Each structure stands twice: as structure tokens, then as C-alpha cells.
Amino acid sequence: MGFFSRTFNFFRIKKSLAIDLGTANTLIYDRQKKRIVLNEPSVVAQDRKTKKVIAVGKEAREMLGKTPDSIIAVKPLKDGVIADFDVTREMLRLFLHKIYGRSPFKPEVMICVPLEVTSVEKKALFDSITGAKKVYIIEEGRAAVLGSGVNISAPEGNMVIDIGGGSTDIAILSLDEIVVSKSLRIASNTFDDDIIKYVKKKYSLLIGERTAEKIKKELGTAIPLEEEEIIDIKGRDLITGLPKTVKLSSNEIYEAIRDSLYEIINNTKEVLEKCPPELVVDILDNGIVMTGGGSLVRNFTNLMEEETKINVFLAEKPLESVVLGGGLAFDNRNLLRTLQMKENT
């Protein structure tokens, strides 16, 4: 039984929901309420033996790296796609129950997915959401630029770089359609992994995902700083096995994540090289919009601008652009006609 069919037992109220199933966070936008009603980490804590879900979201995230052997904290999405459908369904069911309880509505659902999700993954996603009235699938690139306030229905080129937790989507759009695009499995979580590897190699210190994320947010920079920032980090010494504290600087983090930053930049250049000349002119005028959590790395927009020679702007709400765009897509009939859709009777 799908999670929507268990959640929505009576179907009287019309509802439209956009869901951004992110590797790091799951966001749900309620079109009728015109706001985001849920923003929680995409983490599930389970009993290791029975697989019973103990906690989801923020509560489960607090358990990452701290659970006893009897409990496992897992991330059911990897690289922007669903790695475990059963766990994802249960996570969404509990999220929706948290917001609406046993609400008597059968919703239209807009699911935001990476640009290069396979047809097999899309079919599995459709099949999992059996209780919804209609299920639409929209690419995160399209949703992100729409949610950034850009009019993608006009006959002109617009470009977006959406750097999420598990994937980066680079797309050029015109007349509601994607003209050229590329999806990478290099994104914000990659920066965390880069930091973990750097600290392990240079200091023989083992740190966890949450510590790496904290370091990224506090010290992350895409351009070396003249006045370095320094913080103390704690972890386990790989030689002695004992707790140890070391000092880490912002320019060290630049060194750690530099290669991943340039992978995104080089792929952006490749997309631009494939763009029709007339749309390139529009992009020179309109600039490039950057969105997603990875775009918040300090000075990344400046570096992208320097490398592409095009004006680069950070979206007003970079962490919410995708789900907001998914919600706005319901109001764009021309766009809806271009999306894959499954209607359940």
C-alpha cells in the first residue's frame, strides 16, 4: 500500500502539494496555504532488527553518528534520487501526518526531481504515490528557476545552477522548456566529503558528517581570503584513537573543496558551449541564477562570474527555490502540459 493511500483515507478537500525530495532536506509546499508547511532533514531512524521507524526529520538527524547498535539512522535519498523507496514512503507518510493528521483530501502532487532521473526511477516514483489524484514530475532545474522569480514562459534564454545536497542541475530554459542541461552527482554533500577526506589526510583526524557540514558553513569559501578565519574542530585521532582538537582555517577549506567547485564551473561552461547563439545573448543580458544550499558557499557566485564572464545572481531564497517553483508550476497551464503526469482513478 502506498504512503498516500494510507495517509488520505477520505477524499473531499482539494489540495495541491509540491514536494522537494532533497538528499539533505525534504520540503513540502501547500499551494492553498501559499507557504512551505514542512522543512525537515531527509533522515529516518529505524530499529535495526524490526526496521520499525523510530524517528524522522530533525529528531532522526540528531541521532546521526550517535545511535547504539540497535538503532540505525539512514538517509533514504542519495545523490538526489531515492535509494530506498520503502523508507522514503514511510518518511513522507509521517511528514504528511505530522502536518495534516488524518486529513480527508486527495491531493495533486508535484514531485521535484533531478534533471537526469532515469525512466525506471520515474516509474517507481509514480507507482509509489498511488493515493494522489494526480502526480506530476518536474525537473529541479525548471522548478528552481521558476521559484527564483524568473519568467520561464517568455521566448528568451534563462540559466540556472541549482546546487542541492546530492546533485547539481545546470539548465538553460526558454518557453517553459529545457533547451540544454546537465546533472552532476557533485553538490553540497560532496563538499562535506571533501572536508572529511582533507582533515583525515592532513591531520589524521576522523570527523563526522555533521562536523564537516558545520565547518563548510563557517569556513567554506570559493576564493582564498586575505584575512583567514580559524576555528577549533574536534574528532578522533586515527593514530592514538583518542579525542583530539585541531585548528582549521578558511583557506584550508578552500583547498579541500576547490576541485569540486571547479567541476561545477567546468560543467557550466560545457552547457553554455552547447547553447544556441540567440539564447546565449539573452543569458548575457539576464545573467545566471544560482540556487540551492551549495550556492551559499562564500564567494561562489563571484568565482562563477569570474570564470564565465557572465553576471551571476544568488536566488532570493536559495534553499526554498525548488519547492516554491514546484508550487508555482500548478498555475502555469502551458508548463503543466510539458510535464510527465500520472492520473489515478
Side-chain angles (χ1 to χ4, degrees):
M1 184 184 292
F3 66 89
F4 276 110
S5 59
R6 293 197 301 268
T7 304
F8 310 115
N9 297 314
F10 305 96
F11 309 122
R12 300 194 191 103
I13 302 171
K14 184 179 179 181
K15 208 71 166 170
S16 300
L17 305 176
I19 301 177
D20 177 12
L21 274 176
T23 304
N25 287 73
T26 294
L27 289 83
I28 300 177
Y29 175 86
D30 187 313
R31 181 190 178 200
Q32 281 66 40
K33 293 183 178 180
K34 299 186 183 301
R35 63 182 177 87
I36 294 170
V37 293
L38 182 130
N39 185 351
E40 297 257 2
S42 302
V43 183
V44 177
Q46 288 181 304
D47 183 285
R48 191 181 293 272
K49 290 183 179 179
T50 66
K51 300 301 180 183
K52 180 181 178 181
V53 173
I54 297 169
V56 296
K58 294 174 184 176
E59 186 181 351
R61 187 178 185 276
E62 291 298 318
M63 299 180 184
L64 278 175
K66 299 180 180 181
T67 57
D69 290 341
S70 60
I71 298 173
I72 181 172
V74 298
K75 294 181 176 181
L77 295 109
K78 184 178 181 181
D79 297 334
V81 296
I82 297 173
D84 190 320
F85 274 91
D86 290 334
V87 175
T88 301
R89 281 198 300 267
E90 184 64 10
M91 179 181 73
L92 280 172
R93 186 186 73 81
L94 291 171
F95 280 157
L96 289 165
H97 187 270
K98 181 177 180 179
I99 304 166
Y100 301 110
R102 296 174 65 85
S103 295
F105 61 81
K106 185 175 183 179
E108 292 182 316
V109 177
M110 184 78 63
I111 298 286
C112 307
V113 300
L115 286 168
E116 295 179 7
V117 165
T118 66
S119 57
V120 173
E121 288 166 337
K122 287 181 180 180
K123 184 179 185 304
L125 193 55
F126 277 132
D127 292 344
S128 298
I129 308 176
T130 56
K133 182 181 178 182
K134 291 180 182 177
V135 180
Y136 295 92
I137 285 181
I138 185 171
E139 302 91 342
E140 289 176 357
R142 270 207 271 192
V145 72
L146 187 62
S148 300
V150 177
N151 178 16
I152 64 172
S153 298
E156 62 178 22
N158 289 286
M159 187 169 187
V160 63
I161 304 170
D162 174 34
I163 309 171
S167 65
T168 292
D169 288 340
I170 306 165
I172 295 172
L173 304 98
S174 179
L175 292 170
D176 294 317
E177 295 273 14
I178 294 173
V179 181
V180 188
S181 67
K182 191 162 188 180
S183 187
L184 316 174
R185 295 297 184 250
I186 298 171
S188 189
N189 288 354
T190 311
F191 303 153
D192 297 342
D193 292 339
D194 291 340
I195 293 168
I196 290 171
K197 291 174 185 175
Y198 180 89
V199 172
K200 182 179 180 180
K201 182 178 180 180
K202 184 169 183 178
Y203 295 103
S204 296
L205 189 73
L206 186 64
I207 61 173
E209 293 177 12
R210 294 181 63 191
T211 300
E213 184 180 16
K214 181 176 182 291
I215 294 169
K216 176 185 66 183
K217 289 179 177 178
E218 293 189 19
L219 295 182
T221 178
I223 296 174
L225 303 179
E226 290 184 8
E227 295 184 9
E228 290 192 75
E229 297 179 8
I230 297 174
I231 63 171
D232 290 333
I233 61 164
K234 301 173 182 177
R236 190 177 81 230
D237 191 311
L238 289 171
I239 298 173
T240 66
L242 300 174
K244 184 171 85 170
T245 301
V246 300
K247 292 188 180 299
L248 206 59
S249 72
S250 52
N251 286 354
E252 285 182 293
I253 300 310
Y254 162 73
E255 185 180 339
I257 67 175
R258 177 179 54 196
D259 289 348
S260 294
L261 294 173
Y262 273 92
E263 276 291 317
I264 295 172
I265 289 168
N266 292 335
N267 278 277
T268 298
K269 291 178 180 179
E270 287 182 20
V271 171
L272 282 166
E273 288 169 4
K274 297 176 183 177
C275 181
E278 294 299 328
L279 295 185
V280 169
V281 174
D282 293 334
I283 293 167
L284 281 170
D285 292 336
N286 297 332
I288 298 171
V289 177
M290 285 184 68
T291 187
S295 66
L296 295 173
V297 170
R298 188 173 4 180
N299 297 319
F300 199 1
T301 54
N302 296 336
L303 180 62
M304 184 66 72
E305 193 168 283
E306 181 182 317
E307 290 289 335
T308 61
K309 311 303 179 187
I310 299 172
N311 290 331
V312 178
F313 308 95
L314 185 65
E316 184 178 347
K317 297 180 179 179
L319 296 173
E320 302 172 357
S321 297
V322 169
V323 77
L324 291 174
L328 290 171
F330 284 114
D331 300 318
N332 188 328
R333 292 185 179 181
N334 290 331
L335 174 60
L336 284 180
R337 284 197 288 266
T338 71
L339 302 180
Q340 283 188 270
M341 185 268 287
K342 179 183 177 183
E343 188 164 6
N344 299 309
T345 56

